[in-house]
Amino acid sequence: MLRLERVNKYYRVGTHSLHVLRDIDFHVADGEFVSIMGASGSGKSTLLNILGILDDYDSGEYWLGDTLIRGLSERRAADYRNRFIGFVFQSFNLLPFKTALENVALPLYYQGITRRKRNQIAAQYLERVGLRDWSEHLPSEMSGGQKQRVAIARALIGKPRLILADEPTGALDSETSRQIMDLMSEIHQTGITVLVVTHDAEVAARTQRTIRLRDGKVLGEHEASMSNPRMAAMPAEAASTGASADAPAAPQAPGAEP
């Protein structure tokens, strides 16, 4: 699906160069559910921008499918993003003056699809994330979890091969975070490749594999304890205790056009 080979990235700071990514090497196969973990300043955001074709790199190679992503024009970069990638952000990035339906439909506007058709498709995706009854609500009328579900529906509507999620649970409480990761697991089970950037070990434990960054370097790829893909859909409590997916459950205590 994607691979990086000795990718380096520098930023100019005054008269000096800051080496933010150092010989990054890893690959993500089609249909994988992978997390990238690292502390603040480890290079996670820079790496995500490169993977999302929002920023370029200075040396090495980044392959998305059979395409070398390097030095693309703005038009070609936008074309690859629209064709291959769906984005989910910590801050949701919803347009505040548009309804949930209009926010989800927005990517189809840029594909030239008529308003009636794109609203029909958007309603289907809102239903998929459990929010069809909220289609006419503005973001200000929704909870954080609902806004993130709208953002996920918007990411899916273009039928991407890859979902890039940047701290998708970072602004949510623990129960809502669990629900959002359940939804991410469901998306992964449809065959879409999902890559989640997080600092939360519980979120990373829901994925199949974790890539760890420190000071711009990959420390190593650690297979998650749940190597079975079905275990990515386990509740977070079971994942964190290493419970088997087949083990019996323990008894529980009682807008206008742009």
Side-chain angles (χ1 to χ4, degrees), residues 19-34:
H19 199 175
V20 291
L21 293 179
R22 301 168 180 265
D23 291 330
I24 297 293
D25 273 292
F26 69 82
H27 73 279
V28 176
D30 272 329
E32 274 199 288
F33 191 7
V34 177

Side-chain angles (χ1 to χ4, degrees), residues 22 85 100 143 232 245:
R22 301 168 180 265
I85 304 172
S143 69

Side-chain angles (χ1 to χ4, degrees), residues 73-148:
S73 67
E74 279 298 316
R75 182 172 187 144
R76 286 194 67 200
D79 180 57
Y80 280 115
R81 284 194 298 270
N82 292 337
R83 286 168 50 199
F84 291 108
I85 304 172
F87 294 91
V88 178
F89 303 96
Q90 176 179 345
S91 56
F92 319 125
N93 286 10
L94 302 178
L95 296 179
F97 52 88
K98 289 193 174 291
T99 65
L101 186 75
E102 291 169 329
N103 268 287
V104 173
L106 191 59
L108 301 184
Y109 168 80
Y110 295 107
Q111 295 180 19
I113 296 175
T114 65
R115 176 191 285 206
R116 181 174 181 178
K117 181 63 175 176
R118 65 178 182 261
N119 285 350
Q120 289 174 343
I121 297 170
Q124 295 171 3
Y125 278 87
L126 279 175
E127 183 169 18
R128 182 173 173 180
V129 300
L131 287 180
R132 182 155 191 161
D133 292 341
W134 288 79
S135 62
E136 298 306 316
H137 288 256
L138 295 171
S140 60
E141 300 169 326
M142 300 178 193
S143 69
Q146 288 170 325
K147 285 186 278 192
Q148 195 60 291

